[in-house]
Amino acid sequence: MFKSPSVSPEYEEQRLSALYSYDILGEALEHELDNLVKLAAQIANVPMAYISFVDRENIILKSVFGIGPEHKVIPRNVTVCQHTMMLGKIFLVPNVSLEPELSSNPMLSLGNGIQFYASAPLKDADGFELGCLVLLDRVVRNLSENQIEALETLAVQVVAQLALKRKNAQLKAQTQRYDEFIDIFTVSPEIHCILDRNGVILFINEAVTPMLQYSVQEVIGNNIWTYCYREDINRIVYAIEKGLKNKEKQFRLDFRLVSKTGEAKWISWGMVAKEQRWYCYGRDISEGKKVEQELTKLSFVASKVNNGVVINDSQNNVMWVNDAFEKITGFNLEDLKGKPLGDLISGPETDWSLIENARTLTKQKQSFTVDILAYRKDKQKIWLSIYNTVVLDIDGKVETEVEIIIDITEKKKAEEELQILSLVASKTDTGVAITNEKGEITWVNEALENLIGYSLDELSGKMLGDLLSSQETDKEVIVNARKKALNKQAYTIEVLAHKKDKTPIWLSVANTPIINALGQLERQVELIYDITKRKQIEKEMLESREQALQLSEAKEMFLSVMSHEIRTPLNAVIGMTHLLLDNNPKASQINDLNILKFSGENLLNIINDILDFTKIETGNLQLEASAFDLHSLCVDIINSLQMSASKRGNLLSLFYDDAIPEQLLGDKTRLYQVIINLIGNAIKFTENGKIDLAITLKEKTDDEVTIYFEIRDTGIGIPKDKQSYIFETFTQARADISRKYGGTGLGLAITKKLLKLYSSEIDVESTEGKGTIFSFTIKFNLLSDTYVAVKEISSTTVFTGKKILVVDDNEVNILIAKRFLTKWGLVIDFATNGEEAINKVVNNIYDLIFMDIRMPGIDGFDTTRIIREIEGDYFKTVPIIALTASTLHNENIKFKESGMNGHILKPFNPDEIKEVLANYFKG
């Protein structure tokens, strides 16, 4: 039957708030609506009527007509009007007995069997439902349209009556508050006034009389500008106009009013502009302004001084500090205010008795001065000098204290340093001299007197350099030092001097100029040391170094000459052996020739070891970087050593990691030398055993790889106590090694030094009688995408017809060169000295020149320079390759300086010569 809309809890709370705002649930509205209720009953011709207000838990009945007072509060859950008020129209039931929902409702038993029910909702102006105007009858009846319309009108009138009652209550409260405000304004010690937009005083309270001696009646109607101090008017007008332009409505201004007696008084004004009116209130701040002006002057003075200023109250608590105090101590006013200064600036090493004594003097009204070790806010130590002045009031009691704080930390440090320096200067073994700005001695310590033999009396007023100089002294050093001193520059010199007894002495003099506050040279302090022994040692070391250099040069020269002298005949031996082997020897000769070839190459390896070691020692060996195939290199090494390994009954194996990139950048020759040395050693010291070369990829990045090398053997091993020095030169693990197995003792030393060039270290693990493992890691760069590999030329057909000049003074070398080169189709010409070579180059065109370095007369370097200096492109560009039997010195620089394009080392290796020719004859 009831189809009222559902209501949310939020809406219900808002509805109840609206209901409570009318204040109608208590006794306040007991009979004010009786006439409207009676009128509703008469219009409908019913015996019972009332107004119901729906509260949270109950229904409250007001202006009840025809119903007993016992029914004025009814539980909400048994009522009908809580639903009908939400319908928005009159709810009419002519015959209740026909409606089951109503006939059994307890509420309808109010009048002993209600048969007729009608209710009109009461809704306020904001749309909130407050309750209903209800009509009841014991007989069945209906309402005409006029009666329904009248009931609706009466419901509106009920709500209007409620609104009127609430408005009257609000007005009454406002009136009461206004009266209270008027009372407050009347008795307030501050001026309260209302001005029109032109400044005419419309209202003012009685505070105007004690403040300005005018009565209220004298002031009202006059313009406020009449009472303003003339000098303030422009400032006031400017501030107000500026504020209004910025749409400000509230102002805070301090300006003066002139009293009836002519006295100007400072008033602090609060002003509000509203609806063509100014609402103002003002407080007398004249006394505060006087104090403020005085404090401003004091604050200005205190803020400008570099010393700290602290003002304390009579209880020794801080009231004010200046900025300088904060800079000195780090404490600001917020840190200190209301606290005793001494409590905050003291620390572990502060002499507390000084603070207690100062406070006692203050209580006795005595000023004081004290120097105290204090602590900054950051806990750093600081020395302060405090000048305290006690200010007494008119009764002779302590009113305030003013303390001037001076930072004397630097002064204290200087005093302490002076004490220390004085003690040190008098006790030290170092000579100390103090001079005036001209360099004339004013004081020396006892150590200096003992050092040079002169007393202070003898030195005073004299210049030390003049007194101690002799013919051997470098006078220019002293003159330059004095110029520096006059220019306020510190200096240190070492000079040969003479004592008073003419004994020579080397002195080191360190001079420090002392500058005063004006930037002028005030004095000089000199520290003087006896360095005679050091100078003697330096002289001996210099002589020893010269001797060592001479010995080193002699050794290098000896090795260079011996290398040349040995290689020259060795070139013939090895070269002729190659030629004989290539010339189809008899079967019975091949074995003899191979023995000759092996012996020659073995002798060459020994010479190379000695030369390589010397080059490494002197820093003349550098790694090259070219592309190579590590796998192919390792296979070649294993294959070349298989025969040597087999002769000793050894199994030689290679274990290679396929993950290693095919091409690497590095020095193939030096790596070959390292591996050959280590495997050669393993073969030499292993019999009927096993030797492995294992190579694995350890790490790889975009730019480089790290590769691990391991050479394992099952040979005689190395004793533990010998493993630490097997890499030393000319050293074997046991005394009988060289006799039994051979060798120079340089192989491992060279290997270790070569690996150092690779920034690598070699490790050794060995057990005597069981075998040895040598291992190391090397980083190689990877080939970039732009790298272009040099194409190998295996065929010698590109050499055919090329004309070569060989310059060499050794007939055997010429013979060997001729045999090699003519076999490859080259046209050969020869010169036996530099002069002959120059003439042939001038008169012929050659495709390439092999130039010996050591020749009688003009050597190979000078010959090349002369050729390069001849006018013409041919002489500048013809390739010249050096032939040398010595690589002990770093001759690469000399090759380039003279104009050579490269070099070949004697004895000649056919493959090396072929490779050089291939680089220049590429077809």
Side-chain angles (χ1 to χ4, degrees):
M1 180 176 185
F2 300 112
K3 296 182 180 180
S4 59
S6 61
V7 177
S8 67
E10 292 81 4
Y11 181 83
E12 176 64 9
E13 291 300 321
Q14 294 174 0
R15 188 193 70 79
L16 290 171
S17 295
L19 175 65
Y20 299 153
S21 70
Y22 293 99
D23 192 23
I24 52 178
L25 299 183
E27 300 298 328
L29 191 66
E30 193 60 41
H31 302 292
E32 294 181 18
L33 302 176
D34 287 355
N35 291 334
L36 291 175
V37 172
K38 287 180 181 179
L39 181 59
Q42 291 173 357
I43 291 172
N45 195 22
V46 297
M48 292 174 282
Y50 59 85
I51 293 173
S52 66
F53 294 112
V54 181
D55 197 357
R56 190 183 303 274
E57 302 291 340
N58 299 309
I59 302 295
I60 310 301
L61 274 56
K62 293 288 185 179
S63 299
V64 176
F65 175 73
I67 299 173
E70 66 275 11
H71 300 296
K72 287 193 174 182
V73 178
I74 304 170
R76 178 173 174 174
N77 59 353
V78 300
T79 62
V80 178
C81 57
Q82 66 169 327
H83 302 294
T84 59
M85 72 173 180
M86 305 299 295
L87 297 176
K89 61 181 181 178
I90 290 179
F91 178 73
L92 183 63
V93 183
N95 189 348
V96 171
S97 60
L98 298 179
E99 300 292 342
E101 288 186 37
L102 294 179
S103 60
S104 61
N105 192 289
M107 176 248 175
L108 298 183
S109 65
L110 295 175
N112 298 322
I114 301 300
Q115 292 299 317
F116 170 78
Y117 176 86
S119 68
L122 302 178
K123 185 181 291 187
D124 69 2
D126 296 322
F128 291 111
E129 296 80 4
L130 307 179
C132 296
L133 173 58
V134 181
L135 302 178
L136 302 174
D137 201 346
R138 295 184 183 88
V139 297
V140 175
R141 65 166 55 251
N142 209 336
L143 296 179
S144 66
E145 289 184 7
N146 288 336
Q147 288 175 320
I148 292 173
E149 185 177 347
L151 187 59
E152 289 175 343
T153 301
L154 286 174
V156 172
Q157 286 300 315
V158 169
V159 175
Q161 190 73 15
L162 295 177
L164 180 61
K165 176 184 178 297
R166 184 173 65 178
K167 187 68 173 177
N168 289 337
Q170 291 173 348
L171 288 174
K172 183 178 179 182
Q174 288 177 352
T175 301
Q176 184 177 355
R177 284 197 298 272
Y178 176 76
D179 291 340
E180 291 172 351
F181 285 141
I182 291 296
D183 292 339
I184 291 172
F185 292 153
T186 301
V187 300
S188 173
E190 298 180 348
I191 292 179
H192 296 270
C193 61
I194 301 174
L195 314 176
D196 67 11
R197 62 180 300 173
N198 296 317
V200 175
I201 301 170
L202 304 177
F203 167 84
I204 195 165
N205 67 340
E206 294 180 358
V208 70
T209 303
M211 194 177 295
L212 300 176
Q213 290 80 51
Y214 289 103
S215 66
V216 173
Q217 291 73 21
E218 289 178 291
V219 172
I220 287 180
N222 294 330
N223 197 296
I224 191 68
W225 304 117
T226 306
Y227 306 101
C228 280
Y229 193 73
R230 292 295 175 188
E231 294 179 6
D232 293 348
I233 291 176
N234 290 336
R235 176 172 58 85
I236 301 167
V237 172
Y238 174 77
I240 292 175
E241 287 181 349
K242 182 181 178 182
L244 292 175
K245 285 180 181 179
N246 293 332
K247 298 183 179 180
E248 295 178 12
K249 297 296 184 180
Q250 297 185 7
F251 298 86
R252 267 286 188 197
L253 295 172
D254 292 350
F255 58 86
R256 287 166 286 185
L257 294 181
V258 180
S259 71
K260 194 172 184 178
T261 60
E263 180 184 2
K265 291 198 174 185
W266 276 98
I267 311 296
S268 178
W269 290 96
M271 305 173 66
V272 179
K274 186 177 181 182
E275 298 178 355
Q276 304 298 317
R277 294 283 188 272
W278 286 98
Y279 299 88
C280 312
Y281 60 95
R283 179 167 51 88
D284 187 352
I285 58 170
S286 300
E287 290 301 320
K289 278 289 183 180
K290 288 179 182 179
V291 174
E292 183 182 327
Q293 289 171 357
E294 292 174 359
L295 284 175
T296 300
K297 292 177 183 178
L298 288 173
S299 175
F300 178 77
V301 173
S303 63
K304 295 300 179 183
V305 298
N306 293 326
N307 299 326
V309 179
V310 179
I311 300 177
N312 299 328
D313 61 18
S314 59
Q315 302 302 315
N316 197 238
N317 295 323
V318 175
M319 297 167 56
W320 182 86
V321 298
N322 67 343
D323 292 340
F325 180 82
E326 183 176 354
K327 290 179 181 177
I328 293 171
T329 67
F331 290 102
N332 57 31
L333 182 57
E334 187 176 346
D335 299 325
L336 299 168
K337 195 167 186 178
K339 302 169 186 174
L341 179 61
D343 291 356
L344 278 89
I345 64 173
S346 60
E349 297 180 34
T350 302
D351 188 346
W352 189 255
S353 64
L354 294 174
I355 297 176
E356 291 290 351
N357 185 55
R359 291 177 176 175
T360 300
L361 290 173
T362 300
K363 291 178 181 178
Q364 295 172 358
K365 307 173 188 177
Q366 296 181 37
S367 299
F368 62 84
T369 300
V370 65
D371 291 348
I372 188 170
L373 176 62
Y375 288 78
R376 287 173 46 86
K377 186 176 181 179
D378 58 11
K379 304 306 180 184
Q380 290 185 14
K381 295 178 184 178
I382 184 172
W383 274 95
L384 300 177
S385 185
I386 303 174
Y387 296 81
N388 177 286
T389 300
V390 177
V391 180
L392 305 178
D393 61 16
I394 56 175
D395 298 324
K397 296 179 180 179
V398 177
E399 183 176 358
T400 56
E401 296 175 75
V402 178
E403 294 180 328
I404 307 299
I405 314 291
I406 302 173
D407 182 358
I408 58 170
T409 306
E410 293 302 321
K411 175 186 172 185
K412 279 288 183 180
K413 285 182 181 178
E415 289 176 357
E416 292 173 359
E417 288 171 0
L418 275 175
Q419 291 176 355
I420 295 170
L421 286 173
S422 176
L423 179 64
V424 170
S426 61
K427 299 296 182 183
T428 183
D429 292 334
T430 301
V432 180
I434 298 177
T435 73
N436 60 19
E437 74 280 3
K438 298 177 183 177
E440 298 167 344
I441 292 175
T442 59
W443 181 86
V444 298
N445 68 343
E446 186 178 345
L448 185 59
E449 291 178 333
N450 296 333
L451 184 63
I452 61 177
Y454 290 98
S455 67
L456 176 58
D457 291 338
E458 293 172 303
L459 295 170
S460 185
K462 298 181 176 64
M463 301 183 82
L464 193 61
D466 295 344
L467 204 61
L468 302 183
S469 294
S470 66
Q471 291 182 349
E472 292 82 8
T473 303
D474 189 343
K475 304 284 197 311
E476 188 176 350
V477 171
I478 296 175
V479 171
N480 291 334
R482 288 175 178 173
K483 287 180 180 178
K484 283 187 175 182
L486 293 174
N487 288 328
K488 308 167 192 174
Q489 294 177 280
Y491 66 80
T492 299
I493 61 171
E494 295 181 355
V495 64
L496 178 61
H498 285 80
K499 299 182 183 181
K500 184 178 180 180
D501 61 5
K502 304 305 179 184
T503 304
I505 182 173
W506 273 95
L507 298 177
S508 173
V509 182
N511 178 288
T512 301
I514 307 299
I515 313 300
N516 63 20
L518 300 176
Q520 299 169 336
L521 180 62
E522 189 172 273
R523 64 176 69 89
Q524 302 173 50
V525 177
E526 294 181 340
L527 301 181
I528 302 167
Y529 306 88
D530 180 1
I531 58 170
T532 306
K533 289 183 179 179
R534 194 194 85 193
K535 282 292 183 179
Q536 182 62 34
I537 293 170
E538 287 177 357
K539 181 180 178 183
E540 293 172 358
M541 288 178 63
L542 187 61
E543 291 173 352
S544 299
R545 181 174 177 274
E546 290 296 326
Q547 291 176 1
L549 287 173
Q550 291 174 7
L551 288 172
S552 177
E553 289 175 359
K555 181 183 78 170
E556 290 186 27
M557 182 60 68
F558 172 76
L559 289 173
S560 178
V561 172
M562 289 304 296
S563 168
H564 179 79
E565 294 303 321
I566 294 172
R567 280 175 179 273
T568 299
L570 194 59
N571 183 49
V573 173
I574 295 176
M576 292 304 295
T577 303
H578 275 288
L579 290 174
L580 288 171
L581 286 170
D582 288 345
N583 201 24
N584 298 319
K586 295 179 181 179
S588 60
Q589 295 174 329
I590 291 175
N591 190 44
D592 295 339
L593 289 173
N594 280 329
I595 292 173
L596 179 63
K597 177 174 176 288
F598 176 80
S599 298
E601 289 177 346
N602 191 41
L603 179 59
L604 180 61
N605 286 335
I606 293 172
I607 294 170
N608 285 341
D609 279 351
I610 295 171
L611 295 179
D612 280 347
F613 180 77
T614 308
K615 285 199 291 183
I616 294 171
E617 288 286 292
T618 57
N620 290 325
L621 185 64
Q622 294 181 346
L623 296 178
E624 298 178 355
S626 59
F628 73 98
D629 185 337
L630 179 60
H631 183 261
S632 297
L633 176 66
C634 294
V635 170
D636 290 345
I637 291 172
I638 295 297
N639 289 339
S640 66
L641 294 175
Q642 284 288 4
M643 184 176 293
S644 297
S646 298
K647 285 181 180 180
R648 295 186 60 81
N650 294 320
L651 177 62
L652 178 60
S653 304
L654 171 66
F655 298 92
Y656 192 85
D657 188 346
D658 292 336
I660 298 173
E662 184 177 348
Q663 292 287 318
L664 303 173
L665 276 177
D667 193 323
K668 173 183 177 181
T669 302
R670 298 305 172 190
L671 181 60
Y672 174 88
Q673 191 173 352
V674 169
I675 299 174
I676 281 285
N677 272 345
L678 293 173
I679 297 180
N681 260 7
I683 292 172
K684 183 165 64 173
F685 297 118
T686 304
E687 191 169 2
N688 298 320
K690 185 178 180 183
I691 300 162
D692 297 328
L693 170 61
I695 302 175
T696 56
L697 178 65
K698 190 173 182 181
E699 187 178 355
K700 181 180 179 183
T701 66
D702 294 339
D703 302 320
E704 62 182 16
V705 291
T706 302
I707 297 177
Y708 175 73
F709 296 82
E710 187 174 276
I711 296 89
R712 302 185 292 261
D713 67 62
T714 58
I716 64 175
I718 305 168
K720 290 287 183 184
D721 59 338
K722 307 296 184 184
Q723 293 177 15
S724 60
Y725 59 85
I726 58 172
F727 297 103
E728 295 179 7
T729 56
F730 308 110
T731 301
Q732 301 281 14
R734 295 202 305 266
D736 62 341
I737 290 290
S738 181
R739 174 176 51 78
K740 185 175 181 180
Y741 296 97
T744 62
L746 281 175
L748 287 178
I750 292 173
T751 297
K752 183 178 179 68
K753 291 185 180 296
L754 286 174
L755 286 174
K756 276 192 175 295
L757 295 177
Y758 274 107
S759 299
S760 178
E761 292 288 341
I762 187 166
D763 295 320
V764 59
E765 297 178 23
S766 184
T767 302
E768 194 171 6
K770 293 187 177 181
T772 303
I773 299 174
F774 288 99
S775 62
F776 56 90
T777 58
I778 297 180
K779 288 185 177 181
F780 295 99
N781 289 330
L782 296 173
L783 272 64
S784 65
D785 295 338
T786 58
Y787 183 84
V788 179
V790 178
K791 294 182 179 179
E792 295 185 3
I793 299 177
S794 58
S795 174
T796 59
T797 56
V798 296
F799 301 161
T800 304
K802 301 293 184 182
K803 192 171 184 180
I804 306 294
L805 174 64
V806 179
V807 184
D808 199 314
D809 65 328
N810 187 291
E811 293 181 358
V812 176
N813 289 343
I814 291 176
L815 175 63
I816 294 171
K818 183 177 181 180
R819 292 276 185 90
F820 280 136
L821 298 175
T822 54
K823 188 168 61 173
W824 296 336
L826 295 161
V827 179
I828 310 301
D829 196 1
F830 297 95
T832 57
N833 57 58
E835 187 175 351
E836 183 183 355
I838 294 169
N839 289 330
K840 289 201 171 189
V841 171
V842 170
N843 296 314
N844 298 277
I845 300 298
Y846 297 105
D847 295 296
L848 187 141
I849 300 169
F850 285 116
M851 181 72 68
D852 190 19
I853 297 302
R854 294 182 182 275
M855 295 184 295
I858 305 174
D859 66 12
F861 292 118
D862 289 336
T863 301
T864 302
R865 289 191 188 94
I866 293 170
I867 292 172
R868 294 302 190 204
E869 290 172 357
I870 300 174
E871 292 293 329
D873 291 341
Y874 162 68
F875 302 104
K876 300 288 190 297
T877 59
V878 60
I880 301 177
I881 307 300
L883 300 175
T884 176
S886 170
T887 59
L888 181 60
H889 297 289
N890 184 11
E891 292 179 333
N892 287 331
I893 296 175
K894 291 174 112 179
F895 295 148
K896 292 180 180 178
E897 287 178 348
S898 64
M900 292 180 176
N901 300 94
H903 71 279
I904 293 177
L905 183 66
K906 299 176 185 178
F908 301 133
N909 183 319
D911 291 336
E912 290 180 2
I913 295 176
K914 186 188 293 184
E915 185 179 350
V916 170
L917 292 172
N919 285 334
Y920 292 98
F921 304 148
K922 296 180 180 178

